[in-house]
């Protein structure tokens, strides 16, 4: 099994597990990844099942035993915590320019294809449903680089519907927005490896206030996953030491298309009004 997809593999197998095995899975996901390093006895006690059930669970995932499962989890943690600097030492990043271009074509194409093929259909549909619901207010938050993705999605949504905003950068303004989140709010979070602690805090706060969370993340899954209504993982493999957000952009484009299709004529009228307002203000004139 690909260790980078371990948590997502558990999520996707929930429907195939026995009720007792499902309890183990939920305990692991709720405390991921630290819960995976508990002993079999402790994990069984926390899940309210027997130790053999824990063993059967990891066997069902394709591991020979619990030590094998934990070894895969350790490998995954090393990958989750990788930085551009550590990846720079990985063999293959010093190729000749022409070789890098050929590799980029293969790597990025494969990453986009895998991401779209492996997206959980229910999560994709639920994301479109939430973002197209005119009764819900949308707030978007990104990170060091991913704020660009949050803005890309948000600017499209602003053309199609009302009540879309970005989480402010300044502390006082950000706190003011977070404290207003409630049951009609959707918080969209972009969080990728070397996950940012503030994303987990804001997600927990939003969930406690009744908001729903749509999470864009990588295949190692951000800690925000435990609070999210929707999880949209993407491959981040790249021909450089930096993670690629090309697959995430493909997911974003897919969601924008879905929202546009769901809103139908309402989206067209909203877009037309925005274009007319911009034209009246001379925003598009040279």
């Amino acid at each position: 099994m690909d260790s980078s997809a371990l948590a997502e593999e558990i999520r996707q197998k929930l429907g195939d597990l026995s009720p007792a095995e499902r309890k183990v899975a939920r305990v692991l996901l709720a405390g991921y990844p630290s819960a995976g390093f508990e002993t079999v006895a402790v994990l069984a006690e926390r899940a309210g099942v027997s130790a053999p059930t824990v063993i059967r669970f990891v066997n069902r995932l394709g591991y020979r035993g619990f030590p094998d499962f934990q070894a895969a989890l350790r490998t995954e943690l090393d990958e989750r915590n990788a930085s551009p600097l550590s990846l720079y030492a990985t063999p293959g990043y010093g190729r000749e320019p022409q070789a890098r271009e050929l590799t980029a074509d293969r790597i990025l194409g494969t990453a986009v294809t895998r991401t779209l093929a492996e997206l959980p259909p229910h999560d994709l549909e639920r994301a479109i449903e939430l973002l197209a619901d005119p009764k819900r207010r949308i707030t978007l938050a990104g990170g060091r680089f991913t704020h660009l993705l949050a803005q890309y999605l948000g600017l499209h949504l602003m053309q199609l519907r009302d009540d879309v905003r970005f989480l402010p950068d300044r502390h006082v303004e950000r706190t003011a927005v977070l404290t207003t989140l409630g049951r009609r709010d959707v918080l969209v979070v972009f969080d990728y490896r070397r996950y940012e602690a503030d994303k987990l805090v804001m997600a927990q706060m939003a969930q406690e206030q009744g908001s729903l969370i749509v999470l864009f993340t990588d295949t190692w899954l951000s800690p925000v996953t435990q609070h999210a209504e929707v999880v949209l993982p993407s491959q981040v493999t790249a021909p450089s030491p930096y993670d690629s957000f090309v697959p995430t952009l493909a997911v974003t484009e897919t969601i924008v298309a879905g929202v546009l299709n769901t809103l139908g004529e309402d989206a067209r009228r909203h877009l037309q009004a925005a274009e007319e307002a911009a034209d009246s203000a001379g925003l598009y004139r040279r």
Side-chain angles (χ1 to χ4, degrees):
M1 178 187 299
D2 180 359
S3 64
S4 69
L6 177 54
E8 183 59 24
E9 179 77 7
I10 294 173
R11 280 173 54 87
Q12 293 191 358
K13 282 186 177 293
L14 283 175
D16 300 328
L17 302 175
S18 69
E21 292 167 346
R22 199 173 298 125
K23 291 180 180 179
V24 179
R26 294 198 183 281
V27 167
L28 281 170
L29 291 175
Y32 195 83
S34 59
F37 293 110
E38 302 282 7
T39 65
V40 171
V42 169
L43 188 56
E45 182 180 0
R46 290 180 58 190
V49 300
S50 66
T53 297
V54 175
I55 302 303
R56 285 196 298 272
F57 168 76
V58 297
N59 290 159
R60 189 183 287 268
L61 291 179
Y63 297 100
R64 294 187 298 273
F66 204 65
D68 190 28
F69 169 79
Q70 290 185 322
L73 190 55
R74 289 189 187 93
T75 299
E76 176 176 327
L77 283 180
D78 288 341
E79 294 172 345
R80 287 182 67 177
N81 295 326
S83 68
L85 186 59
S86 65
L87 290 174
Y88 203 87
T90 302
Y93 287 124
R95 297 187 181 94
E96 292 299 318
Q98 184 178 9
R100 283 201 300 269
E101 291 171 7
L102 295 173
T103 301
D105 179 67
R106 176 178 57 82
I107 289 176
L108 295 177
T110 299
V112 170
T113 299
R114 281 193 61 186
T115 294
L116 295 177
E118 295 173 1
L119 270 182
H122 174 270
D123 287 64
L124 180 60
E125 293 168 7
R126 182 63 169 150
I128 293 171
E129 176 188 349
L130 291 174
L131 298 180
D133 186 349
K135 296 179 181 179
R136 295 188 180 275
R137 180 172 55 185
I138 310 300
T139 304
L140 300 100
R144 182 181 178 188
F145 288 100
T146 56
H147 71 280
L148 298 171
L149 295 169
Q151 289 177 353
Y152 185 80
L153 174 58
L155 290 173
H156 277 81
L157 293 177
M158 286 177 180
Q159 290 194 313
L160 304 179
R161 51 157 296 164
D162 294 323
D163 262 355
V164 179
R165 60 184 180 175
F166 299 108
L167 194 67
D169 292 328
R170 290 186 292 198
H171 178 72
V172 174
E173 294 172 343
R174 171 171 289 208
T175 301
V177 169
L178 289 174
T179 55
T180 65
L181 296 179
R183 295 188 178 278
R184 79 178 188 92
D185 286 283
V186 175
L187 177 63
V188 180
V189 178
F190 289 79
D191 194 30
Y192 291 72
R193 65 177 170 183
R194 292 213 293 173
Y195 312 103
E196 299 175 359
D198 68 315
K199 302 303 179 297
L200 180 58
V201 173
M202 71 175 64
Q204 184 175 1
M205 179 187 298
Q207 185 186 43
E208 289 174 350
Q209 293 170 190
S211 303
L212 298 179
I213 298 157
V214 174
L215 172 65
F216 289 77
T217 187
D218 49 42
T219 55
W220 296 279
L221 302 183
S222 158
V224 173
T225 297
Q226 61 187 296
H227 301 293
E229 170 79 5
V230 172
V231 179
L232 301 167
S234 297
Q235 299 286 325
V236 294
T237 308
S240 78
Y242 291 96
D243 286 344
S244 172
F245 294 130
V246 171
T248 301
L249 189 59
V251 175
T252 302
E253 296 275 8
T254 301
I255 287 176
V256 169
V259 171
L260 181 60
N261 184 62
T262 300
L263 290 174
E265 182 61 20
D266 288 341
R268 190 199 66 78
R269 284 196 294 267
H270 198 283
L271 179 59
Q272 181 177 355
E275 290 285 330
E276 290 174 352
D279 187 60
S280 297
L283 297 181
Y284 295 153
R285 294 174 189 167
R286 293 183 181 277

